[in-house]
Amino acid sequence: MLWSLCASVLCLGVCMPLFMYYKKSLNPVLSCSFKALGTACALMLVLVSAIRLDQRCWILVAGMSFHLAADILLEFSFPIGIALFMAGHLGYIAFLTQLYPISVAHLVCFILLLFFLFMLLRQWKKQGEKKASLFAVYGIILCAMGACAIAGGVSSYSLPGYLMAAAGGFFLFSDTFWARRLLFRTPRYVDWLIISTYYIAQLLFGTACILLT
């Protein structure tokens, strides 16, 4: 757990504030650098797990690497950044279904999340008309990843599973507010909310991998 504690302090206590500072200062190079370094803190946990503990974690290493690349490219090219995030989510789905095979609980959770997605898209129809197709595709993949994390993690009755379930929930929360920020004007604290919950999700996935035995 010392590895996880150190990674969390570095990510949330150093990288996140510096990312937000340089983002506000309109310095995209440094802001993207610290944003990616925050994700790299969680990636290191998964990498150590893959090398020393569980070979299955290599799939998550690949998925989180896509997220790290997306952290950088999303600031310069929205379509490429979104594509990389979707690729990363698919990697998470592959990892999670290897740990926790698909069950009825997965399907129920997926349907509930899809209903929530449908309601959001309906509510944001006017503002999100130009990005409706992109939001729908991304949302479906995100719902699938969230369902695999939440249903699979909870049904495992294990600490790593519960951590992955919480990580899936934080991811859904973060991306929902991120999508809302794209369409509506939001207070500055929402930016902190989005990035902090995103990092917490990644760190929870990394900590769960450390605890896999």
Side-chain angles (χ1 to χ4, degrees):
M1 293 297 290
L2 181 60
W3 279 86
S4 298
L5 179 60
C6 292
S8 298
V9 170
L10 182 60
C11 175
L12 299 174
V14 179
C15 296
M16 183 175 71
L18 288 173
F19 158 63
M20 293 298 291
Y21 172 78
Y22 285 114
K23 182 179 180 180
K24 184 179 179 180
S25 302
L26 301 179
N27 189 326
V29 174
L30 284 176
S31 67
C32 287
S33 298
F34 283 107
K35 184 181 181 183
L37 283 173
T39 303
C41 293
L43 179 59
M44 290 306 299
L45 296 176
V46 183
L47 186 60
V48 169
S49 302
I51 294 172
R52 302 188 61 179
L53 301 173
D54 196 319
Q55 294 290 314
R56 294 175 296 181
C57 292
W58 282 111
I59 302 175
L60 191 59
V61 169
M64 199 172 288
S65 296
F66 278 118
H67 283 173
L68 191 151
D71 286 338
I72 299 172
L73 293 174
L74 188 64
E75 303 296 325
F76 301 100
S77 174
F78 185 81
I80 295 176
I82 286 294
L84 288 171
F85 265 120
M86 287 192 285
H89 290 338
L90 291 173
Y92 282 50
I93 292 170
F95 169 71
L96 290 164
T97 52
Q98 189 176 36
L99 287 180
Y100 315 118
I102 294 176
S103 64
V104 174
H106 285 73
L107 297 176
V108 172
C109 188
F110 181 55
I111 291 171
L112 290 174
L113 290 174
L114 279 182
F115 177 75
F116 179 71
L117 172 65
F118 171 76
M119 295 302 293
L120 280 182
L121 292 178
R122 183 179 180 182
Q123 185 178 357
W124 298 345
K125 182 178 180 180
K126 182 179 179 180
Q127 293 81 3
E129 185 175 0
K130 294 181 180 179
K131 294 185 175 71
S133 298
L134 180 61
F135 279 178
V137 174
Y138 182 85
I140 291 170
I141 295 174
L142 179 65
C143 288
M145 190 273 284
C148 289
I150 295 171
V154 171
S155 62
S156 72
Y157 300 104
S158 65
L159 180 56
Y162 294 145
L163 292 177
M164 290 189 189
F170 275 109
F171 242 123
L172 291 166
F173 186 89
S174 177
D175 278 3
T176 299
F177 275 88
W178 170 76
R180 193 181 190 284
R181 188 188 62 184
L182 291 176
L183 302 177
F184 303 94
R185 295 187 64 179
T186 55
R188 180 163 173 76
Y189 76 84
V190 173
D191 290 342
W192 285 92
L193 190 65
I194 293 169
I195 193 63
S196 62
T197 50
Y198 168 70
Y199 281 148
I200 290 170
Q202 300 287 29
L203 289 166
L204 286 172
F205 273 121
T207 301
C209 287
I210 289 286
L211 296 174
L212 285 176
T213 54

